[in-house]
Amino acid sequence: MNSLEQKIEYSFKNRDYLEEALTHSSYANENSGSMPCNERMEFLGDAVLSIISAKYLFNKFPQMPEGRLTKLRSSLVCTQSLSQFAKEIDLGSYLKMGKGERASGGSERPSVLEDAFESLIAAIYLDGGMEEAERFVLRFLSREVENHHSNFHDYKSLLQEIIQQNPDETLTYTVVGTSGPDHDKRFDVELKLNSNIIGRGHGTSKKNAEQLAAKEALELMGVEI
């Protein structure tokens, strides 16, 4: 715990909060439920993260409309981003997990790391209040926001707006293949306009692959993006 506290730059007054945040349900189940797992912490941490990120973006971009703020926040606090933040502090190695879950690569699974990161936010919030939780979260978000703001585009929505100008045209996204282990799976998506393939995407999630397929289609159509 000392090592993790150094990495997150926060020392707990009550380490029970940190203990609970680091306990995966598989570990609690193997120990007959004798200790709480981090699922409740994850629930609270998600809400705290939502408030912190919304407040930060609201103040940073005073002219940005609500829809754009929502999309930007979603890109900042998605599974891929939060799991990467967790990897930066090696959070997976501190998790208490069941033997089977750890053996199957659970400590590196993006969804597990996302939940653990949100649980850690909750633990800091409960122990030190909103100010400390905000300081911890913004250590990651403030660094990432410029990159996401300049590079995040909702290619699917843009393409849909263009295609909707002709009501007879139909877009279809289809997952045509997957690769990689369960904890690090990749998705291949084909995008068809009616029956013609106009884009392909390869990504870390179905949504990511669909966005990349839409991006390719827009480039094919000569749309400046």
Side-chain angles (χ1 to χ4, degrees):
M1 286 192 178
N2 288 333
S3 172
L4 180 57
E5 285 180 334
Q6 289 176 6
K7 289 180 179 179
I8 66 176
E9 300 176 4
Y10 180 78
S11 296
F12 281 84
K13 296 181 286 292
N14 183 351
R15 283 189 169 178
D16 287 346
Y17 291 131
L18 180 57
E19 189 87 23
E20 184 173 341
L22 297 175
T23 303
H24 189 261
S25 59
S26 60
Y27 184 91
N29 292 336
E30 281 191 6
N31 289 272
S32 303
S34 58
M35 59 185 68
C37 70
N38 64 6
E39 290 178 350
R40 281 169 51 84
M41 284 284 201
E42 183 269 328
F43 166 78
L44 177 60
D46 178 67
V48 173
L49 175 62
S50 180
I51 292 172
I52 292 171
S53 57
K55 176 187 173 185
Y56 178 72
L57 294 176
F58 180 84
N59 290 329
K60 186 171 180 62
F61 302 108
Q63 304 303 320
M64 187 177 289
E66 180 270 339
R68 180 65 178 165
L69 285 170
T70 298
K71 291 177 181 178
L72 180 55
R73 183 178 63 176
S74 295
S75 74
L76 280 168
V77 299
C78 66
T79 299
Q80 183 177 354
S81 294
L82 297 184
S83 62
Q84 183 57 45
F85 297 159
K87 288 179 180 179
E88 289 181 26
I89 55 175
D90 195 25
L91 190 56
S93 67
Y94 296 95
L95 293 178
K96 291 184 175 181
M97 309 191 79
K99 294 178 181 178
E101 183 70 20
R102 185 169 292 280
S104 67
S107 63
E108 294 297 316
R109 191 171 295 125
S111 60
V112 171
L113 291 175
E114 174 190 19
D115 291 348
F117 191 80
E118 291 179 334
S119 298
L120 181 57
I121 293 171
I124 294 173
Y125 167 73
L126 291 170
D127 189 73
M130 181 60 81
E131 185 175 340
E132 289 294 341
E134 189 170 7
R135 185 179 65 83
F136 172 69
V137 169
L138 293 186
R139 171 183 162 190
F140 298 92
L141 286 193
S142 62
R143 181 196 68 207
E144 290 293 308
V145 68
E146 292 300 336
N147 179 54
H148 281 256
H149 180 223
S150 60
N151 293 325
F152 177 73
H153 298 277
D154 189 351
Y155 299 115
K156 286 182 64 178
S157 295
L158 177 57
L159 180 61
Q160 187 66 37
E161 289 174 8
I162 294 172
I163 299 302
Q164 281 178 343
Q165 295 175 15
N166 187 341
D168 294 329
E169 306 285 3
T170 303
L171 289 172
T172 306
Y173 294 87
T174 305
V175 176
V176 294
T178 59
S179 59
D182 288 341
H183 66 275
D184 191 24
K185 194 174 287 296
R186 296 291 190 272
F187 295 81
D188 292 296
V189 166
E190 280 186 354
L191 168 58
K192 289 184 178 181
L193 177 60
N194 298 328
S195 60
N196 300 313
I197 297 174
I198 60 171
R200 292 183 173 88
H202 178 76
T204 55
S205 68
K206 180 182 175 183
K207 288 183 178 180
N208 177 235
E210 289 176 347
Q211 286 285 352
L212 293 175
K215 180 176 183 289
E216 184 175 279
L218 288 166
E219 291 171 344
L220 180 67
M221 296 165 65
V223 177
E224 188 173 336
I225 52 179

